[in-house]
Structure formats: C-alpha cells, structure tokens
Amino acid sequence: MSCLGNVIWMIFGGLINAAVWFLAGCLWCITLIGIPIGMQCFKFAGLGLAPFGKEVVYGGSSVSLLLNIIWLIVSGLPLAIAHLISALLLTLTIVGIPFAQQSLKMAKLALMPFGARIVSRR
C-alpha cells in the first residue's frame, strides 16, 4: 500500500514538496555555515518524495535545539505554513485524508528538523 500511496503522493504534490525542500537546501548551502542545515534539507526532500512507509523519530541535543531555533526563524515557518495549507486542502475529500496526514508529518518536520531521524516502518 505504501508504494501506491507514494506514487499518488508524488503526482499530487510530492514533487512540489520535494522541490521546496531542495530549494531551501540549496539556499542554505550557499554559505559554509549553512551546509549542515542544507544537507538536512536534502534528506527531507527525499522524504517529501516518498513519505509513506517512513516515520520521523525525534530526539536530539542542545546543538539541535539551537539549530531548530535558527531554522524556525529563517526557514521553518514558511515551510510549515505551506504544509498546513496543503493538509487543509487535502482533507476536503475522504480520499485525501491519508495524504493530509503525510503533509502534517512534513509540517511538524518543518518546525523541528534537527535531531530528527527518518526510519522505515515495517
């Protein structure tokens, strides 16, 4: 089921989702200091392409808390708002509810990306 969900997700918004995360990663990688943040964005662009069958596990240290605060101020809020609007639009139909859940997962990730790991669900 997750394979079919990922294909449908990619057609109806996943490519745009991944492109936005990829663009954020490119913008962060312009400076040397932003490269670790950009690399995290690239990892989440991959998740944006295929979110079904994957989970985000949160944990971290004080360094990830500091990076999350910087991220939230600079890039996190616009990405989170975009994912929330996407989730709202997807819940207009019953078929879109599982896709809205994935969009909400990405919205939470847009608020706190550092200290998060992506694991496969089995």
Side-chain angles (χ1 to χ4, degrees):
M1 180 66 185
S2 66
C3 182
L4 179 62
N6 284 330
V7 170
I8 295 171
W9 171 263
M10 203 175 313
I11 293 170
F12 294 109
L15 288 174
I16 295 169
N17 182 6
V20 169
W21 278 98
F22 184 78
L23 177 65
C26 287
L27 291 174
W28 275 102
C29 283
I30 290 173
T31 65
L32 286 175
I33 296 171
I35 289 175
I37 299 171
M39 297 306 291
Q40 192 80 342
C41 290
F42 294 144
K43 182 171 69 170
F44 296 139
L47 177 67
L49 283 175
F52 287 93
K54 295 181 182 149
E55 251 180 73
V56 179
V57 178
Y58 293 95
S61 63
S62 59
V63 174
S64 49
L65 175 66
L66 178 65
L67 286 173
N68 278 330
I69 291 170
I70 294 168
W71 167 262
L72 187 65
I73 293 169
V74 177
S75 300
L77 284 177
L79 280 170
I81 290 170
H83 287 299
L84 288 174
I85 291 170
S86 172
L88 182 67
L89 292 174
L90 286 167
T91 56
L92 294 176
T93 65
I94 293 174
V95 176
I97 292 175
F99 300 102
Q101 290 174 336
Q102 299 305 316
S103 193
L104 289 174
K105 175 170 55 173
M106 295 299 291
K108 183 178 179 185
L109 189 62
L111 292 175
M112 304 180 301
F114 299 99
R117 291 182 302 121
I118 301 169
V119 294
S120 294
R121 233 182 321 179
R122 299 227 177 199

